[in-house]
Amino acid sequence: MNVTPAIVGNDPAPRLNRAAIAKRAARDLVDGSTVNLGIGIPALCADFLPNGVELLYHAENGILGFKELSAPGEGDPNLMDAGGKFPKLVPGMAFFDSVESFNLIRGGHIDVTVLGALQVSRNGDLANWMIPKRGIGSIGGAMDLAANAKRVVIAMEHTARGDITKIVNECTFPLTAPGCVDEIITDIAVIKIDRENGRMILRETAPGWSFADVQARTEVTLDTVGEVGLMA
Amino acid sequence: MNVTPAIVGNDPAPRLNRAAIAKRAARDLVDGSTVNLGIGIPALCADFLPNGVELLYHAENGILGFKELSAPGEGDPNLMDAGGKFPKLVPGMAFFDSVESFNLIRGGHIDVTVLGALQVSRNGDLANWMIPKRGIGSIGGAMDLAANAKRVVIAMEHTARGDITKIVNECTFPLTAPGCVDEIITDIAVIKIDRENGRMILRETAPGWSFADVQARTEVTLDTVGEVGLMA
Amino acid sequence: MRVKTQRSVSDIHRKDRTIWLAVPINKISNSFADAVADIPSGASIMIGGFGGAGGQPTRLMMALRELGVGDLTIIGNVAGISKTTGYGWPDHLYPIDQGMFFESGQATKIICSFPVPGTTNPLSEIEKAWREGNAQVDIVPQGTLIERIRAAGAGIPAFYTPTGVGTPVAEGKEHREFNGRTYLLEQALTADFALIRAQKADARGNLQYIGTSRAFNPAMATAAKVTIVEVDEIVEIGGIDPERVGTLSTYVNRIVQREAGDPLP
Amino acid sequence: MRVKTQRSVSDIHRKDRTIWLAVPINKISNSFADAVADIPSGASIMIGGFGGAGGQPTRLMMALRELGVGDLTIIGNVAGISKTTGYGWPDHLYPIDQGMFFESGQATKIICSFPVPGTTNPLSEIEKAWREGNAQVDIVPQGTLIERIRAAGAGIPAFYTPTGVGTPVAEGKEHREFNGRTYLLEQALTADFALIRAQKADARGNLQYIGTSRAFNPAMATAAKVTIVEVDEIVEIGGIDPERVGTLSTYVNRIVQREAGDPLP
């Protein structure tokens, strides 16, 4: 293990909360897309879709077209999502088995997946299923999604506890899939990955955060293309 | 091509008709089995099941549990069997797609298939999809069935037009599957194939037919084990 | 547009959305001609069903014939035998099958499992074209054909099957033993377009099939670059039981509804 | 016997048969204990569902625990995380999951995709057994796991998948390029027994599923030597819509019906 702490000072401004990260990730989701949201921050995207955007949510356990969750105590165990929560029955849903569910994923039919990450490397390698020191982890559908979705977006906190950088030159954690990540949305920045050239391009920063502030918390040397925008 | 005509004289007695071949084949079908019947003589087996025997008929196009056909003019194009005929809707049927249908076949879940043949060899090779001189043929589900059903029974006329033997030392026609046939039921004999030892064992003859009569119309040298019975 | 554009019942719980789901509207074609209009010469085209009238996208096929493009590769199952044998068609109707593209000279190749009937009298259009050297015919065992199509949709580039070992279809293919049995390597089969048939579509593109009309349709829907579906009826979202969705809307690009009372099955 | 033995409606058209279909009667077990009684120590056992209460054969699992046989290999998906996290269980119920076989020391191995939750507080039974060196845990990507199970039932000994390339799961596996992309060879996964859950069985053994309770159940039904199903209801032949049969009777060996009003989901 070779986790390099970034050189950091105090934060120049508050970081976005989990909901705000999800809201920024949700802004890029295109109406009508078939989307799989991972657990945690990614799942919150559903609460922040722009006006006029409706997505077809897919969950690995065999459901397409679910929307909000049932009220506490009213869930039906036979109508679950992949996070183990119970959505409501709504018109237009479809139920299917795990074979079909992973045909959809492996076959490249998922337009976007939003996932969490432990580490993302400069060429888009993703590690999100096991912390090495624990020695055991859970893959679930993450490897299939990361390797096969048309677009892989990471929504996560920019650093781990102790300001350990998660955006690294090379992942030191076991990979979920190599070269798969298209974009990273964090609590301080939006970073696009130019996989062909192994470059990370800073697109936006959180309010009050400069390029230098983000760079200080990022192991990978960041590029810019044109102006750096403001996350909103 | 090297089709050897058998040395024959006049028939010693009438050969069984197609219905009688089917009836004899039907006698060995075990209650509750999942069965796929090929077109022609095999399909007739369904009309001659012994008392108390009910089979689950499978057809490649995605149906299990059909029984008799609709009256002429009353068939539903959406309720077809693999022969292009229209069974009636009966309780207990199941409809499924071709993927599932061939999982059932390829996965070895068909208990018995009864098929027609152009040639069967002493070690159980089956040829039933193309006549070489035509140069084009139709495989359909025959290769999957022949290679993967738990038991493959051939129901056919013993010889081709001109008393050409169809039970041969080596098939000269393109194979459907090698070493797959368990038993042959013809209009003059019942022959079991001992594939491990490459032997054909004559089990029964049609009324009025002797071992020698059948042998004269069979390229393969036939064995017997115990008494040769009478087809009925 | 045959679909009503009023807000669907699925909108009841939505608060902040003003535009009704845009995607399903865009999937509906106004005519069979429109739905196939961009199919170019040289395209590979899966045609659904099993063979016979049930589950066959007959109106889409007729539109493709009308379009007139050529050098087509057709991928089907039982192919071109209904016209001369009546296979899978009710007695009183004149059968239509994939042979039409060989009769018209539009197709130069077919990949299928059952291209000719037992009899040669009269010759099927496919056998006729083949005999005249105008058509390549690739005969694939049916289970291998459907699994290859399924594999294309499922992201499986290749798989091993026991079917075909020791037969002419094994020629030139990799053989490999697993647990003492020999298998063939078979590769995924995709296409530019899939023309399929279902009983119902909802406005989003979920499809419901009936009876034995499933056959090759659901797998083909997943395997082609563009999937075009002919349905008897388009219903509102919610008009298909979620337990009965046979093809997910994600796979469907275009939907065309038949005329009510169309006499063709 | 919970099934009525009167002649079914399917007998209406039969003339010459005096014995009512023998097979379905033989498939029905009188109790969960009976249904699992012949599972020996050392067996490999698929347990259906996804993880969580829906689609899990909970009563069969409890009977297997009661049986007490050991050295079991369990094959599941999300495994053993409900007890400590409540995953997939309604709030008011005490969750039951595959961890029970590790708590009891009956299982020595699990093949699954999701054996531990994110948190280690408290430790799941599987992680506890693994940390103590009492359990082997094989972690397989979910899509690969279900496809391996499906392959076993479908007569496919091995297939190539893009999932897992460049990760620890690729170690020791054949890599191969198709059309410029690298894939892994993965092999079929079978088992001695499958314990699965469905909503309904008919007396012949056709199964109907509901909602997201399908998950791993239909594929597992095809992949094991013996398939045992726990259902809420056994109905007469004809009691399941032929369009809604999710598992064909051919795959089902034993059926057990739950008590009416069983409080467990």
Side-chain angles (χ1 to χ4, degrees):
Chain A
M1 286 232 304
N2 180 24
V3 179
T4 315
I7 300 144
V8 289
N10 289 334
D11 282 1
R15 301 191 187 200
L16 301 185
N17 63 19
R18 291 158 57 90
I21 301 172
K23 188 172 179 184
R24 175 60 192 81
R27 218 181 66 193
D28 293 343
L29 299 172
V30 176
D31 189 38
S33 300
T34 300
V35 174
N36 186 298
L37 303 178
I39 51 175
I41 297 171
L44 300 177
C45 290
D47 297 335
F48 298 104
L49 292 182
N51 277 353
V53 172
E54 186 163 344
L55 304 177
L56 270 181
Y57 293 114
H58 169 261
E60 294 92 305
N61 61 318
I63 181 169
L64 188 67
F66 58 98
K67 294 174 195 280
E68 71 263 55
L69 296 179
S70 299
E74 287 180 6
D76 177 350
N78 292 322
L79 208 174
M80 194 178 80
D81 67 20
K85 308 294 184 196
F86 306 112
K88 285 183 183 167
L89 183 68
V90 292
M93 275 179 158
F95 303 125
F96 40 92
D97 79 343
S98 296
V99 172
E100 173 64 27
S101 192
F102 281 85
N103 289 355
L104 198 75
I105 297 174
R106 198 192 314 98
H109 308 285
I110 301 287
D111 294 310
V112 189
T113 187
V114 184
L115 299 171
L118 297 168
Q119 294 182 325
V120 182
S121 81
R122 67 182 306 134
N123 65 343
D125 294 355
L126 170 64
N128 75 352
W129 71 275
M130 187 166 86
I131 297 167
K133 71 175 175 206
R134 185 167 174 190
I136 192 169
S138 282
I139 296 172
M143 284 193 184
D144 289 280
L145 284 163
N148 300 298
K150 287 181 196 158
R151 182 171 167 76
V152 177
V153 175
I154 300 303
M156 67 175 190
E157 280 141 3
H158 201 90
T159 55
R161 223 175 314 173
D163 250 339
I164 306 292
T165 183
K166 297 168 71 176
I167 301 175
V168 295
N169 288 316
E170 297 249 357
C171 291
T172 54
F173 288 12
L175 291 193
T176 304
C180 65
V181 177
D182 294 285
E183 196 168 32
I184 310 170
I185 293 166
T186 77
D187 46 4
I188 60 171
V190 175
I191 296 169
K192 188 162 165 36
I193 303 185
D194 172 5
R195 292 204 300 261
E196 275 169 34
N197 302 301
R199 292 195 312 164
M200 281 194 170
I201 298 159
L202 183 69
R203 304 295 287 268
E204 298 175 20
T205 58
W209 288 73
S210 69
F211 178 98
D213 297 326
V214 173
Q215 180 65 76
R217 288 156 184 86
T218 310
E219 183 180 297
V220 178
T221 302
L222 299 170
D223 283 342
T224 58
V225 173
E227 217 159 313
V228 175
L230 197 65
M231 288 178 81
Chain B
M1 286 232 304
N2 179 25
V3 180
T4 316
I7 300 144
V8 290
N10 289 334
D11 282 0
R15 302 191 185 200
L16 302 186
N17 62 20
R18 291 158 57 89
I21 300 172
K23 188 173 179 182
R24 176 60 191 80
R27 220 180 64 193
D28 294 342
L29 298 173
V30 176
D31 189 38
S33 301
T34 299
V35 175
N36 185 300
L37 303 178
I39 51 176
I41 296 171
L44 301 176
C45 290
D47 298 334
F48 298 105
L49 292 183
N51 276 353
V53 173
E54 185 163 344
L55 304 177
L56 269 182
Y57 294 114
H58 169 261
E60 293 92 306
N61 60 319
I63 181 170
L64 188 67
F66 58 98
K67 295 173 194 281
E68 71 262 57
L69 296 180
S70 299
E74 288 181 6
D76 177 350
N78 292 321
L79 209 174
M80 193 179 81
D81 67 21
K85 307 296 184 196
F86 306 111
K88 285 184 184 165
L89 184 68
V90 294
M93 275 178 158
F95 302 126
F96 39 92
D97 78 343
S98 295
V99 172
E100 173 63 28
S101 192
F102 280 85
N103 289 355
L104 196 77
I105 297 174
R106 197 191 317 99
H109 307 286
I110 301 287
D111 294 310
V112 189
T113 186
V114 184
L115 299 170
L118 297 167
Q119 292 183 326
V120 182
S121 82
R122 68 181 307 133
N123 65 344
D125 294 355
L126 169 64
N128 75 353
W129 71 275
M130 186 167 86
I131 297 166
K133 72 175 176 206
R134 186 167 173 190
I136 192 169
S138 283
I139 295 172
M143 284 193 183
D144 290 280
L145 284 163
N148 299 299
K150 288 182 197 158
R151 184 172 164 76
V152 177
V153 175
I154 300 302
M156 66 174 191
E157 280 141 2
H158 201 91
T159 55
R161 223 174 314 172
D163 250 341
I164 305 293
T165 183
K166 297 168 71 175
I167 300 175
V168 294
N169 288 316
E170 298 249 356
C171 291
T172 54
F173 287 14
L175 291 194
T176 304
C180 65
V181 178
D182 294 284
E183 196 169 33
I184 309 170
I185 293 167
T186 77
D187 48 2
I188 61 172
V190 174
I191 295 169
K192 185 160 166 37
I193 303 186
D194 171 5
R195 292 204 299 261
E196 275 169 33
N197 301 300
R199 293 195 311 165
M200 281 193 169
I201 298 159
L202 183 70
R203 303 295 288 266
E204 298 174 21
T205 58
W209 287 73
S210 68
F211 178 100
D213 295 327
V214 173
Q215 181 64 76
R217 287 155 184 87
T218 309
E219 183 181 294
V220 177
T221 302
L222 299 170
D223 284 342
T224 58
V225 174
E227 217 160 310
V228 175
L230 198 65
M231 288 177 80
Chain C
M1 293 285 181
R2 285 202 181 80
V3 98
K4 298 181 195 83
T5 52
Q6 73 216 28
R7 290 171 69 87
S8 84
V9 276
S10 68
D11 287 322
I12 289 169
H13 300 290
R14 298 193 307 181
K15 298 173 203 109
D16 60 351
R17 291 171 205 157
T18 50
I19 303 170
W20 193 60
L21 185 55
V23 174
I25 305 290
N26 296 343
K27 288 186 181 177
I28 296 169
S29 295
N30 287 314
S31 71
F32 291 100
D34 281 2
V36 301
D38 66 346
I39 298 181
S41 285
S44 55
I45 302 174
M46 292 177 171
I47 296 182
F50 183 82
Q56 179 176 268
T58 306
R59 290 284 172 200
L60 284 171
M61 290 163 65
M62 292 168 78
L64 178 61
R65 172 139 180 198
E66 198 63 31
L67 183 67
V69 291
D71 195 21
L72 301 176
T73 293
I74 304 292
I75 299 164
N77 177 37
V78 173
I81 73 167
S82 292
K83 185 181 167 187
T84 55
T85 69
Y87 179 95
W89 278 73
D91 296 333
H92 60 288
L93 290 167
Y94 185 78
I96 291 166
D97 64 35
Q98 303 99 314
M100 67 162 73
F101 304 112
F102 295 86
E103 188 181 18
S104 65
Q106 289 176 274
T108 51
K109 180 174 175 182
I110 188 159
I111 303 171
C112 62
S113 83
F114 208 101
V116 293
T119 173
T120 56
N121 184 19
L123 277 185
S124 74
E125 298 294 349
I126 292 175
E127 187 162 3
K128 211 183 290 177
W130 174 80
R131 288 192 182 196
E132 291 164 1
N134 296 326
Q136 183 185 338
V137 180
D138 281 9
I139 307 166
V140 180
Q142 193 169 148
T144 300
L145 183 60
I146 189 64
E147 187 70 8
R148 289 177 62 197
I149 293 167
R150 184 245 174 208
I156 305 288
F159 59 89
Y160 290 92
T161 178
T163 302
V165 171
T167 79
V169 308
E171 279 164 27
K173 286 180 188 152
E174 178 187 316
H175 289 59
R176 184 158 175 174
E177 261 195 36
F178 295 93
N179 301 314
R181 188 173 181 191
T182 303
Y183 296 84
L184 299 181
L185 184 68
E186 293 281 359
Q187 308 222 5
L189 180 64
T190 185
D192 298 317
F193 294 86
L195 308 185
I196 67 164
R197 173 79 179 269
Q199 182 197 19
K200 277 190 200 177
D202 71 18
R204 185 181 284 166
N206 288 308
L207 305 183
Q208 176 177 309
Y209 299 98
I210 186 167
T212 54
S213 72
R214 289 164 171 84
F216 275 57
N217 287 307
M220 285 179 170
T222 72
K225 293 192 196 87
V226 177
T227 293
I228 308 172
V229 56
E230 170 177 345
V231 296
D232 295 321
E233 193 185 359
I234 298 176
V235 297
E236 288 289 314
I237 290 172
I240 296 179
D241 182 347
E243 308 282 2
R244 282 292 315 279
V245 175
T247 287
L248 300 173
S249 59
T250 301
Y251 295 116
V252 174
N253 299 97
R254 297 174 202 161
I255 311 163
V256 203
Q257 181 173 288
R258 293 172 140 241
E259 293 293 338
D262 188 329
L264 270 182
Chain D
M1 292 286 180
R2 288 201 180 80
V3 97
K4 298 181 195 85
T5 52
Q6 71 213 28
R7 289 170 71 86
S8 84
V9 278
S10 69
D11 286 323
I12 290 169
H13 301 291
R14 298 193 306 180
K15 296 173 204 109
D16 60 351
R17 290 170 204 159
T18 51
I19 302 170
W20 192 61
L21 185 54
V23 173
I25 305 291
N26 296 341
K27 287 187 182 177
I28 297 171
S29 294
N30 287 315
S31 70
F32 291 100
D34 281 3
V36 301
D38 66 346
I39 297 182
S41 285
S44 55
I45 301 174
M46 291 176 173
I47 296 183
F50 183 81
Q56 178 176 270
T58 306
R59 291 283 171 202
L60 284 170
M61 289 163 66
M62 292 168 78
L64 178 61
R65 171 138 181 201
E66 198 63 33
L67 184 67
V69 291
D71 195 22
L72 301 176
T73 294
I74 304 292
I75 299 164
N77 177 37
V78 173
I81 73 166
S82 294
K83 185 181 166 189
T84 54
T85 68
Y87 180 94
W89 278 74
D91 297 332
H92 61 289
L93 290 167
Y94 185 78
I96 290 166
D97 64 36
Q98 303 100 314
M100 67 161 74
F101 304 113
F102 295 86
E103 187 181 18
S104 66
Q106 288 176 274
T108 51
K109 181 176 176 182
I110 188 159
I111 303 170
C112 62
S113 84
F114 208 100
V116 293
T119 174
T120 56
N121 184 20
L123 276 185
S124 75
E125 298 293 348
I126 291 175
E127 187 162 2
K128 211 182 292 177
W130 175 79
R131 287 191 181 196
E132 290 164 1
N134 296 327
Q136 183 186 338
V137 180
D138 281 10
I139 307 166
V140 181
Q142 193 168 150
T144 301
L145 183 61
I146 189 64
E147 187 70 9
R148 289 177 62 197
I149 293 167
R150 184 248 175 204
I156 305 288
F159 59 89
Y160 290 92
T161 178
T163 302
V165 172
T167 80
V169 309
E171 279 164 27
K173 287 178 187 154
E174 178 187 316
H175 289 60
R176 185 158 174 174
E177 261 196 35
F178 294 93
N179 301 315
R181 189 174 180 190
T182 302
Y183 297 84
L184 299 180
L185 183 69
E186 294 281 359
Q187 307 223 6
L189 180 64
T190 184
D192 298 318
F193 295 86
L195 308 186
I196 66 163
R197 173 80 178 268
Q199 182 196 22
K200 277 189 201 179
D202 71 16
R204 186 181 282 167
N206 289 309
L207 305 183
Q208 176 176 310
Y209 300 97
I210 184 167
T212 54
S213 74
R214 291 162 170 85
F216 276 57
N217 287 306
M220 285 180 169
T222 71
K225 293 191 196 88
V226 177
T227 294
I228 309 173
V229 56
E230 171 178 345
V231 296
D232 295 319
E233 194 186 1
I234 299 176
V235 298
E236 289 288 315
I237 291 172
I240 296 179
D241 181 347
E243 308 282 3
R244 281 291 316 277
V245 176
T247 287
L248 300 173
S249 59
T250 301
Y251 295 116
V252 174
N253 299 96
R254 297 174 202 160
I255 311 164
V256 202
Q257 181 174 290
R258 292 172 142 240
E259 294 292 339
D262 189 329
L264 271 182

